[in-house]
Amino acid sequence: MDLDDRELEIQLREALHRAAEPVHGEGIFKETVRSEAARRQAAKTRARWTGRLVLAGAAVAAAVALFALVGTDQDQVDTDGGLPPATQPDGPSTTVEPDQSGPSTTETSNTTPSTTEATTSTTEATTTTAPTLPPFPPEDPLMHGKSTWGLYLVVLPMGQASVDSPEFQAAQQAAIDAGYSQGEGYSGIECDQGAAEALGLESGEHIAPAVYFASEDLANQARDAFEARGQSVAGIAHVTTYCLD
């Protein structure tokens, strides 16, 4: 325990009193009393500074510990401004127990065929897309005595029975669907000079749904367009058209 001023004074008085008692020898000297007083004062000063240093060291250690604690708490605070994980209030558990009725891999395996079937369906739809059909060329207007190229879809003997036949009607409708105005009627082969010979017809009169073009290339292009759509073509002939005056 540190000595205060009053205790120091009491001790000095006691030391002086002891020194003043009769002794054998040369007697009491002032230097003896002063030396004892200086020694006690130095001891008090050392004890006082030692206590202050101890208190200062303890304060520094407490400040360092507090700073470390604050830094640790700040790191634990989440970005939403909530409490650190360790200080979150206890709540009811939300853990979901796995379904024990059957393995989860059964449901996953059931979804695989659906994906495969969808991919297969998409692939089939892509591969079954209809190819682009060749276009029909423009027709050549008819004129009496004009040289042109005739395309004959079907050739039948002259008569109403031929006009009413499904084959004739289908060919005529194919020409109409292609946008040709000439498809609405039909041609007598004998009115198209050179047609019978080119088509290899025998004697007699014949009729045919026909469309005319300005060149052989255009007539062949029309043939490809008709055949691509399922309509057959009897033949193409370079002719001179009559019976139109």
Side-chain angles (χ1 to χ4, degrees), residues 114-130:
S114 298
T115 304
T116 304
E117 291 175 1
T119 304
T120 304
S121 300
T122 303
T123 304
E124 291 177 354
T126 303
T127 56
T128 56
T129 301

Side-chain angles (χ1 to χ4, degrees), residues 89-137:
D90 294 335
S93 174
T94 58
T95 303
V96 178
E97 295 295 332
D99 187 4
Q100 301 297 327
S101 61
S104 58
T105 55
T106 301
E107 296 181 359
T108 302
S109 61
N110 289 338
T111 60
T112 302
S114 298
T115 304
T116 304
E117 291 175 1
T119 304
T120 304
S121 300
T122 303
T123 304
E124 291 177 354
T126 303
T127 56
T128 56
T129 301
T132 302
L133 297 175
F136 287 100

Side-chain angles (χ1 to χ4, degrees), residues 41-52:
Q41 183 65 33
K44 176 183 177 183
T45 301
R46 287 195 301 270
R48 182 178 299 171
W49 279 104
T50 300
R52 290 177 180 177

Side-chain angles (χ1 to χ4, degrees), residues 159-192:
Q160 189 62 40
S162 296
V163 174
D164 295 337
S165 67
E167 184 180 9
F168 192 96
Q169 293 292 326
Q172 196 172 42
Q173 187 62 47
I176 296 173
D177 293 342
Y180 294 128
S181 61
Q182 299 164 4
E184 297 178 359
Y186 56 89
S187 299
I189 297 299
E190 285 70 24
C191 290
D192 293 348

Side-chain angles (χ1 to χ4, degrees), residues 1-227:
M1 183 177 182
D2 294 340
L3 301 176
D4 56 18
D5 293 339
R6 182 159 183 80
E7 290 177 350
L8 177 60
E9 182 181 357
I10 294 173
Q11 291 181 5
L12 290 176
R13 289 179 180 278
E14 291 177 354
L16 182 61
H17 179 73
R18 287 195 300 269
E21 292 179 353
V23 294
H24 298 286
E26 296 179 351
I28 301 172
F29 298 94
K30 292 182 178 180
E31 289 76 7
T32 302
V33 176
R34 291 176 178 175
S35 177
E36 180 66 18
R39 184 183 67 78
R40 290 178 178 271
Q41 183 65 33
K44 176 183 177 183
T45 301
R46 287 195 301 270
R48 182 178 299 171
W49 279 104
T50 300
R52 290 177 180 177
L53 290 176
V54 171
L55 290 176
V60 172
V64 172
L66 178 61
F67 179 79
L69 179 61
V70 171
T72 302
D73 291 343
Q74 185 65 29
D75 292 340
Q76 292 177 348
V77 176
D78 56 16
T79 56
D80 295 333
L83 296 175
T87 60
Q88 292 292 344
D90 294 335
S93 174
T94 58
T95 303
V96 178
E97 295 295 332
D99 187 4
Q100 301 297 327
S101 61
S104 58
T105 55
T106 301
E107 296 181 359
T108 302
S109 61
N110 289 338
T111 60
T112 302
S114 298
T115 304
T116 304
E117 291 175 1
T119 304
T120 304
S121 300
T122 303
T123 304
E124 291 177 354
T126 303
T127 56
T128 56
T129 301
T132 302
L133 297 175
F136 287 100
E139 60 185 345
D140 187 21
L142 290 177
M143 186 179 298
H144 184 75
K146 182 178 182 178
S147 177
T148 186
W149 289 85
L151 180 146
Y152 304 93
L153 296 175
V154 59
V155 179
L156 297 172
M158 179 70 74
Q160 189 62 40
S162 296
V163 174
D164 295 337
S165 67
E167 184 180 9
F168 192 96
Q169 293 292 326
Q172 196 172 42
Q173 187 62 47
I176 296 173
D177 293 342
Y180 294 128
S181 61
Q182 299 164 4
E184 297 178 359
Y186 56 89
S187 299
I189 297 299
E190 285 70 24
C191 290
D192 293 348
Q193 186 177 355
E197 294 80 5
L199 297 174
L201 299 177
E202 298 178 354
S203 60
E205 294 183 351
H206 297 81
I207 58 175
V211 183
Y212 299 88
F213 300 95
S215 67
E216 184 178 11
D217 290 340
L218 293 177
N220 286 323
Q221 181 180 342
R223 181 207 297 268
D224 294 339
F226 276 117
E227 291 179 346

